[in-house]
């Protein structure tokens, strides 16, 4: 007996209905990106490991899917190396390529390789899958799509403002209530400086970024395990738990960070972004959140994260400013800022809240019943006219029993059925049946098209 097929953990199949929903997500995001002047690119699923490694921090490097070299990958490896069972070292010998972890690092590589063809500032968007060797759980997959938009070659904070407007517009179109959280890595650097742990900035940001997931006590425990003093941890508490309005938080930070030039610069940037957005009439709440750290090492300025308010799920959009990313590929001095919509999590949120518009998930609008060769030939003439008018229409391919054909229409949620028998052909018309209310009317091809397009 053949083994039952399966798919890898953390991956999913998508049915036609699910694909219609996903395309609604992609198309909505794509339309908004176009409104703001972004252009689409694509990069390969595989990148050289030399491109990917070291860009996401130690934890990110562990989650890279590595691709085994083809051919004799044992050549050049000694027996001693094989017997050492050192997985990391052997992987570096066996694997030269990996599946991309995100779209930002491949984009930085793209900018460096195509610098002579690009006009700066370069506004690009990219909608493609990424892969992470993470532990699968609700809302977290090993293969998932990201929908990125980035601007490179401009230091202006107006880019951050526009990206937040894009976030607000997209979720308003989806009908999802969200909170847009904003912070700045310069503020976090300033905090690390004033508590006397400037050299531990990465450890501090990685730990406090987990506050929502593991709670304050466990964050403090992790900080202590990283060698951060009890005194510094105590100083950190009132800062990361700061409350009040955005203006009140900024005012407090100006006092707290008065001894840190970097920290004050982060406060100034955050104030400009928040004040400018306040005049733009955003539909969703935007909040300065000092616990937001975004674990990726390449962020250097403003950082963003979006939480759905009516569903328990992780962040559904994130991003930030990165000043140094292209520098690792030999192209210094190019600043960038970007956001990434998590399409798979948005898919789950829209499902849970039942927010998909009916027209987004409907497939075929009209089915012609097939009674035989003559009837099918007559129906094909009307069918061609219907399709030319933009109506999604099909004919049942076989002259099966009427019950089977009507069942097919019901299962596929086809709202209209056209019935063409001998009487209808004699009159040069078709019987149009509304599958929702059962009403029928004898119509010409033009009347049929009018009924379905009005």
């Amino acid at each position: 007996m053949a083994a039952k097929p399966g798919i890898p953990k953390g991956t999913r199949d998508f049915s036609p209905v699910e694909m219609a929903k996903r395309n609604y997500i992609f198309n909505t995001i794509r339309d908004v990106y176009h409104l703001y002047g972004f252009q689409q690119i694509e990069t390969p699923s595989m990148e050289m490991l030399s491109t990917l490694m070291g860009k996401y921090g130690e934890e990110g490097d562990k989650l890279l899917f590595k691709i085994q070299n083809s051919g004799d990958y044992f050549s050049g490896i000694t027996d001693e190396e094989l017997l050492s069972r050192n997985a990391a070292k052997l992987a570096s010998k066996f694997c030269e390529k990996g599946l991309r972890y995100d779209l930002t690092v491949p984009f930085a590589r793209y900018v460096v390789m195509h610098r002579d063809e690009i006009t700066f500032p370069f506004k690009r968007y990219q909608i493609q899958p990424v892969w992470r060797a993470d532990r699968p759980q609700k809302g977290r997959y090993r293969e998932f799509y990201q929908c990125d938009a980035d601007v490179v070659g401009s230091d202006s904070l107006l880019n951050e403002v526009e990206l937040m407007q894009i976030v607000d517009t997209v979720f308003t179109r989806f009908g999802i209530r969200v909170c847009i959280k904003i912070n700045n890595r310069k503020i976090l650097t300033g905090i690390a400086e004033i508590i006397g742990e400037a050299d531990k900035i990465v450890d501090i940001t990685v730990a406090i970024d987990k506050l929502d997931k593991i709670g304050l006590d466990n964050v403090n425990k992790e900080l202590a395990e990283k060698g951060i003093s009890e005194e510094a941890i105590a100083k950190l508490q009132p800062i990361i738990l700061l409350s009040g309005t955005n203006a009140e938080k900024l005012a407090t930070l100006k006092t707290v960070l008065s001894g840190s030039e970097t920290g004050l610069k982060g406060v100034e940037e955050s104030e400009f972004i928040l004040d400018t957005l306040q005049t733009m009439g955003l539909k969703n709440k935007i909040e300065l959140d000092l616990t937001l750290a975004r674990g990726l090492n390449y962020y250097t300025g403003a950082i963003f994260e979006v939480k759905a308010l009516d569903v328990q799920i992780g962040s559904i959009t994130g991003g930030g400013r990165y000043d140094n990313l292209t520098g690792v590929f030999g192209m210094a001095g190019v600043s960038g800022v970007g956001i990434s919509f998590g399409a798979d999590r948005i898919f789950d949120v829209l499902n849970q809240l039942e927010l998909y518009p009916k027209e987004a998930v409907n497939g075929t609008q009209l089915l012609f019943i097939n009674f035989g060769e003559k009837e099918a030939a007559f129906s094909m003439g009307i069918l061609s006219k219907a399709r030319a008018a933009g109506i999604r229409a099909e004919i049942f391919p076989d002259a099966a029993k009427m019950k089977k054909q009507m069942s097919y229409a019901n299962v596929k949620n086809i709202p209209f059925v056209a019935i063409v028998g001998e009487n209808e052909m004699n009159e040069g018309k078709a019987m149009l049946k509304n599958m929702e209310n059962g009403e029928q009317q004898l119509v010409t091809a033009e009347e049929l098209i009018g009924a379905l397009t009005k």
Side-chain angles (χ1 to χ4, degrees):
M1 184 177 174
K4 187 178 179 182
I7 58 174
K9 285 184 179 179
T11 65
R12 295 178 289 176
D13 288 323
F14 294 101
S15 68
V17 170
E18 288 169 326
M19 280 310 304
K21 291 178 176 180
R22 286 168 68 79
N23 285 330
Y24 164 67
I25 294 170
F26 298 144
N27 292 338
T28 300
I29 294 170
R30 186 180 287 111
D31 288 347
V32 176
Y33 282 162
H34 286 163
L35 278 178
Y36 285 79
F38 287 78
Q39 296 176 296
Q40 187 172 17
I41 67 163
E42 288 197 351
T43 60
S45 299
M46 294 182 293
E47 293 279 350
M48 302 304 293
L49 280 176
S50 57
T51 297
L52 302 174
M53 294 291 285
K55 312 305 188 302
Y56 308 105
E58 190 178 333
E59 291 191 13
D61 282 352
K62 291 176 184 174
L63 299 180
L64 285 170
F65 274 113
K66 300 173 180 67
I67 299 171
Q68 186 174 284
N69 294 340
S70 55
D72 183 9
Y73 49 82
F74 281 108
S75 64
I77 299 176
T78 66
D79 290 345
E80 185 181 351
E81 286 173 324
L82 282 171
L83 291 170
S84 72
R85 302 177 73 85
N86 185 325
K89 190 172 181 181
L90 287 171
S92 69
K93 300 265 187 175
F94 289 166
C95 309
E96 295 175 349
K97 299 175 286 292
L99 295 176
R100 59 173 173 247
Y101 178 94
D102 73 351
L103 299 177
T104 307
V105 170
F107 172 54
R109 189 264 311 148
Y110 175 95
V111 170
V112 173
M113 289 183 66
H114 298 270
R115 68 181 89 182
D116 295 333
E117 308 156 27
I118 291 172
T119 301
F120 292 100
F122 182 39
K123 302 172 77 171
R124 87 79 168 87
Y125 77 88
Q126 203 169 339
I127 299 175
Q128 287 187 275
V130 299
W131 294 267
R132 296 182 186 177
D134 216 342
R135 184 172 65 85
Q137 53 188 291
K138 183 177 174 60
R140 188 181 292 274
Y141 307 99
R142 286 177 170 167
E143 178 186 61
F144 55 97
Y145 268 75
Q146 288 185 335
C147 308
D148 283 19
D150 288 79
V151 186
V152 294
S154 169
D155 296 322
S156 172
L157 292 172
L158 288 178
N159 296 312
E160 277 85 339
V161 170
E162 284 208 335
L163 289 171
M164 293 305 93
Q165 287 181 281
I166 286 172
V167 168
D168 184 66
T169 304
V170 165
F171 286 112
T172 299
R173 289 191 179 192
F174 284 143
I176 299 173
R177 294 192 319 121
V178 298
C179 178
I180 304 168
K181 294 177 179 287
I182 180 173
N183 198 8
N184 196 298
R185 288 298 283 259
K186 294 186 181 77
I187 291 176
L188 294 170
T189 299
I191 291 168
E193 286 176 6
I194 63 154
I195 66 171
E197 298 283 1
D199 60 327
K200 296 283 180 65
I201 178 62
V202 172
D203 292 332
I204 292 169
T205 55
V206 167
I208 68 173
D209 196 45
K210 300 175 183 174
L211 187 68
D212 281 352
K213 299 169 192 165
I214 65 176
L216 185 60
D217 290 343
N218 285 320
V219 167
N220 290 337
K221 182 180 175 184
E222 185 171 321
L223 289 168
E225 288 170 356
K226 294 291 185 180
I228 294 162
S229 70
E230 284 186 27
E231 184 186 358
I233 293 172
K235 286 181 180 177
L236 195 57
Q237 304 309 293
I239 300 170
I240 63 173
L241 296 175
L242 193 63
S243 60
T245 65
N246 292 334
E248 288 168 346
K249 290 176 185 175
L250 288 167
T252 301
L253 284 171
K254 285 177 185 176
T255 303
V256 171
L257 298 176
S258 59
S260 169
E261 186 180 341
T262 302
L264 289 176
K265 180 64 176 171
V267 173
E268 181 189 326
E269 290 178 3
S270 300
E271 191 167 37
F272 175 85
I273 295 166
L274 290 166
D275 286 353
T276 307
L277 286 169
Q278 199 167 10
T279 67
M280 299 293 172
L282 296 189
K283 303 291 193 298
N284 291 283
K285 180 184 176 185
I286 185 160
E287 174 191 339
L288 179 66
D289 182 355
L290 297 184
T291 68
L292 172 61
R294 301 292 298 165
L296 300 180
N297 288 346
Y298 52 62
Y299 291 124
T300 55
I303 44 179
F304 320 108
E305 201 160 88
V306 178
K307 299 276 188 175
L309 296 178
D310 301 314
V311 171
Q312 282 291 104
I313 198 167
S315 67
I316 53 179
T317 299
R321 165 75 63 172
Y322 45 89
D323 287 335
N324 311 319
L325 198 58
T326 54
V328 300
F329 298 121
M331 186 178 176
V334 179
S335 183
V337 60
I339 53 171
S340 179
F341 289 95
D344 294 81
R345 287 187 176 182
I346 293 170
F347 175 87
D348 290 344
V349 171
L350 289 170
N351 270 336
Q352 287 185 56
L353 299 178
E354 298 182 350
L355 288 174
Y356 287 101
K358 191 175 178 182
E359 60 272 16
V361 295
N362 280 351
T364 301
Q365 298 169 273
L366 173 66
L367 173 71
F368 281 83
I369 299 296
N370 186 341
F371 287 119
E373 277 187 40
K374 290 180 182 177
E375 292 86 352
F378 181 88
S379 296
M380 290 293 286
I382 305 176
L383 178 61
S384 295
K385 291 179 181 177
R387 285 173 176 159
I391 296 167
R392 301 184 300 278
E394 59 181 290
I395 185 168
F396 200 85
D398 306 302
K401 289 183 179 179
M402 179 84 156
K403 183 179 179 182
K404 181 177 180 179
Q405 298 188 53
M406 294 299 259
S407 175
Y408 176 84
N410 282 323
V411 169
K412 289 190 68 176
N413 290 314
I414 299 173
F416 289 95
V417 164
I419 302 166
V420 176
E422 193 171 334
N423 293 337
E424 287 79 14
M425 286 195 296
N426 288 338
E427 294 194 44
K429 296 181 178 181
M431 185 67 72
L432 183 64
K433 180 173 183 175
N434 184 317
M435 295 294 283
E436 287 186 14
N437 58 29
E439 290 180 2
Q440 297 187 166
Q441 54 178 323
L442 195 62
V443 292
T444 63
E446 289 72 24
E447 289 168 340
L448 180 147
I449 290 166
L452 269 78
T453 55
K454 68 182 179 182

